[in-house]
Each structure stands twice: as C-alpha cells, then as structure tokens.
Amino acid sequence: MIPLLPGLRVLDLTTVIYGPLIGQVLGDFGADVIKVEGPEGDLARAIQPRGPQGDSAMFVCNNRNKRSMVLDLKTAAGREVFTGLLRWAEVFVHNMRPAAIDRLGFGFAPVAAINPQIIYCAAVGFGSGGRYAGRPAFDDVIQAAGGIAALPSYRGQDPAYVPGVMADKVAALTATYGVMAAIAARGRGMKGPIEVEAAMFESVAAFVLNEHLAAAAFGGPPEAAGYHRMFAPDRRPYRTQDGWIAALPYTEQQWRRLLDFTGRRDVLQAPWFSDPGERSARIAELYTVLAEEMTRRSTADWLEALETLDIPHAKVNRLEDLLRDPHLQDVDFFAPNGTGLARSARQPVRFPGLADEPDRPAPALGADARALTEMLGYTPEQIDQLRAGGAFGPPA
C-alpha cells in the first residue's frame, strides 16, 4: 500500500473485475475502501480456482485493501444503512446497470442530494448518451463491440477474443483516472457533486483506435483506419530453432545492425532501404526477412545477439515463466506484503521516495459489518433491529 490518499473515504458497490479493480487501485494508494456486497456476495468469490478460505483467486486479486459489509439493498433497513455510508463517503463507485441502480434509489441525483460533495463514479457498459445505453456488457461482448476481436481478421484470420479479461481491465483503469482527476479537482477547490461516467465500450474503442484511427484521422473514409504495420503477417513472435522470441528493430540504425549481423547485404543495398517513407511502406518485407533469419539460431543465441546489438527483444514468456521471471523477482513484484497470498501481483506504480505500508488481504464476506455499522453511530440495539429487518440479509 502506498499512502498517497490516506483517509480518502470510498464506497465500493461493485462486482467481478471492472468495478472492483477501481476500488483496489484507490485502496492501494491508501484510501479507506468499504466494499458493500449483497447477502450472496460478489459473484467473483465463487469462480474457480478457490483458496483455502473459500474465495477465488479472481476475487482476492481485485479486492485487497478493502473492508467488507453485507447489505441487502432491496430492504428498507439495508438502504437506510447504505444511505449512512453515502453520507460518510467522498467517492462512490458502482458498476450496476443504470436501470438497476435507479430502482434502488441511488442514481446520481438522489445520491448528490444525500451527499452534495460526492464524487459519483458510474462504471457502465455503454455511455448514457448513446442508443446502446443500458445494455448488458461483459468482457467478450465489449471485445467484439470495441474492435479488439476483429483485429486478427486484418491478417486473414478469424476474429478472436484476447484470452484475458482485457475490456474489463482497460475500462477499470479508464474509470480510475477519471476518479483521480475528480479527486485532484476537489483538492484544487472544486465544490459540489462530481459525476464520473466510464463506459467499457467507449474505453475499449478509444484504446483500439489510438493507433488504428490512422489515415481516417485526416478525413479519410472509415476504411482508411488501421495501423497497417501491425497487420503485416510476420509482425509476430518469431520461431527460433528451439522456441519463440520477440524482436522489434524500429529505427534505420537498428535494422542496419541486424541485417549486417545476419549477412543480409541484399536488403541493406536495396535502393528503397535508406528512404524512411519507402522503408515504412515495405515494412512487411522486412518482417518476413526477420522471420526467416530467426529460424537459423537458438533462442539463447538470439537473446545474446540482440542484447549486443541493442535491439528491443524478449523471450516469449508463458504464464509460468512470469512467475519465475528474474526481473520481477528483483523488484519484489510478487511479494506477499500482507495479502495472505503466496503470490500477489503488487501495484505496479512505484514512488521510490515513499515507504510502502503492508497491504490488507481481500476481506471475508461481511467481515467488517458490525464495526462499520457502529462507525455510523448505531447502537447494539439498533443493529439488532436492522438485522431483524433484513438489512444484512435474511435474519437467522
């Protein structure tokens, strides 16, 4: 935990990855994050594999540095306690569909009336101003809608999902910098409620089009979109004699060093090679040369040669390789640091001049309910009444 936001009060009404990652990042920077779950708990708690305490790896990797409270927001008693938490909070984050949060009575306008200084972050699937607003959204759907799944088709392959929860994480980081901007604005004197809306579809579309807008940025037709260097068939990991490697000569000097090393004087002496525009237009040919040459040496030989030639490169790591990577070990990337896990990918942003504090492990379901209810000023008798009214789930 990096104590940059100590005491910032965050109310987290989120599930799975998209929303919880926002709260975890804020918690990693020292915020006091209260995660509110329904009686059944966050859906991610049950996703396999699960640890000895019963919670999944997905849950514990997205909910550290939080406290947990169970509330049934379908009951009047549950909504009463939640309203108290909204008065306590400086930031409120949810990833419910707009109609669902409105049915509970916690859309932006009602929450701003409860807490006129709230930073209200709605992490939604599609932006509220468009015709897709309110549609259900999961990672695969947004990878398809946002252009990620279609990228392989520009190489003549079938559309495919990235086999990772790409859209959720891109959108979560987008939402997080929106919240951070609102926090900074508050610190610079902005008054009143601040509404932040982060949409998965728009986040992924912006992510994809950053480089792929290409000629369409200058008024070309939509078909002019696409950073075609990325679509070259041989812009890919390269097979060596015994494995796979990534290599990316980018500047003319890097290409010259590599082509000289491999003896490809025919390419070096081609009249187009020294012209930056021509070299860019024929980059697919250079990648093909690279693919051919890579098969002539082992991975170890290439790693040594590319290091000497000062050309960007990397061995193609599998997931298990990341867990053994010496650089990640050097920087204590997997240091448990209080999480209770054998391995936990730590917050990657570092502030070398600040001392870290131990992380708190992801909380058990409802672990802090009594302490948090007491924090809101309820007496033991009132807490018993809330429990009888179903605030914390069906009465025992």
Side-chain angles (χ1 to χ4, degrees):
M1 185 188 301
I2 306 163
L4 288 172
L5 300 172
L8 180 75
R9 302 185 299 276
V10 178
L11 183 57
D12 177 342
L13 183 66
T14 68
T15 60
V16 192
I17 290 180
Y18 178 18
L21 182 55
I22 303 167
Q24 176 166 284
V25 173
L26 296 173
D28 285 350
F29 289 135
D32 182 4
V33 183
I34 296 176
K35 181 180 178 71
V36 172
E37 303 174 66
E40 69 285 352
D42 186 334
L43 291 172
R45 287 186 182 270
I47 295 173
Q48 296 291 349
R50 297 166 75 174
Q53 304 304 315
D55 287 329
S56 72
M58 179 181 289
F59 181 85
V60 299
C61 288
N62 287 280
N63 289 281
R64 65 174 174 250
N65 293 322
K66 300 181 185 181
R67 298 190 281 171
S68 172
M69 187 171 196
V70 170
L71 289 175
D72 187 346
L73 299 184
K74 296 178 182 178
T75 67
R79 291 192 296 274
E80 175 191 321
V81 177
F82 192 74
T83 298
L85 289 171
L86 285 169
R87 293 193 181 98
W88 165 89
E90 296 172 85
V91 177
F92 170 48
V93 182
H94 77 82
N95 65 337
M96 297 180 69
R97 291 166 70 179
I101 196 74
D102 286 343
R103 280 196 300 271
L104 292 174
F106 298 118
F108 174 68
V111 168
I114 293 166
N115 183 343
Q117 296 301 314
I118 197 73
I119 295 171
Y120 182 106
C121 178
V124 298
F126 300 89
S128 60
R131 65 190 64 195
Y132 306 154
R135 285 186 181 180
F138 289 96
D139 196 271
D140 290 359
V141 172
I142 300 300
Q143 285 200 39
I148 291 176
L151 291 176
S153 69
Y154 290 89
R155 288 180 169 175
Q157 303 163 7
D158 289 341
Y161 302 131
V162 174
V165 190
M166 179 69 70
D168 272 28
K169 291 180 287 188
V170 167
L173 296 178
T174 302
T176 302
Y177 72 64
V179 171
M180 293 288 197
I183 293 169
R186 181 73 78 225
R188 296 175 70 85
M190 180 177 285
K191 304 295 184 184
I194 302 175
E195 185 175 14
V196 179
E197 181 182 272
M200 291 177 72
F201 179 43
E202 288 93 315
S203 297
V204 170
F207 182 79
V208 169
L209 290 174
N210 178 278
E211 74 277 17
H212 285 301
L213 198 59
F218 303 113
E223 290 75 19
Y227 182 30
H228 292 282
R229 175 190 294 263
M230 298 291 181
F231 302 149
D234 287 313
R235 175 72 179 265
R236 57 182 174 83
Y238 300 112
R239 184 181 289 279
T240 66
Q241 286 181 341
D242 59 356
W244 296 88
I245 196 168
L248 188 61
Y250 202 81
T251 67
E252 179 180 348
Q253 290 305 312
Q254 288 171 349
W255 276 111
R256 285 189 179 279
R257 291 196 297 271
L258 183 63
L259 293 168
D260 184 64
F261 174 78
T262 57
R264 294 301 300 262
R265 306 297 302 176
D266 57 317
V267 180
L268 282 171
Q269 294 169 0
W272 55 267
F273 180 81
S274 296
D275 183 286
E278 286 295 310
R279 195 171 58 252
S280 177
R282 302 178 71 153
I283 193 67
E285 296 176 43
L286 287 172
Y287 291 146
T288 297
V289 170
L290 188 56
E292 293 169 354
E293 295 300 324
M294 285 290 163
T295 62
R296 305 186 195 284
R297 291 174 169 81
S298 69
T299 299
D301 287 345
W302 271 120
L303 291 173
E304 180 179 357
L306 293 166
E307 182 72 21
T308 301
L309 294 168
D310 194 27
I311 291 171
H313 66 281
K315 180 172 69 75
V316 175
N317 281 328
R318 294 177 60 81
L319 299 176
E320 57 269 28
D321 297 326
L322 287 176
L323 300 184
R324 303 185 185 103
D325 187 271
H327 174 87
L328 295 179
Q329 300 296 330
D330 292 343
V331 299
D332 292 329
F333 186 77
F334 294 112
N337 196 26
T339 60
L341 299 173
R343 293 186 183 91
S344 177
R346 65 158 170 79
Q347 171 57 243
V349 178
R350 310 304 288 166
F351 297 85
L354 295 178
D356 286 1
E357 297 178 358
D359 286 314
R360 295 191 303 272
L365 181 62
D368 305 288
R370 177 166 286 275
L372 292 173
T373 312
E374 291 173 350
M375 178 193 75
L376 295 177
Y378 287 94
T379 65
E381 294 77 13
Q382 289 172 323
I383 294 172
D384 289 341
Q385 291 173 1
L386 290 170
R387 181 173 289 107
F392 313 117

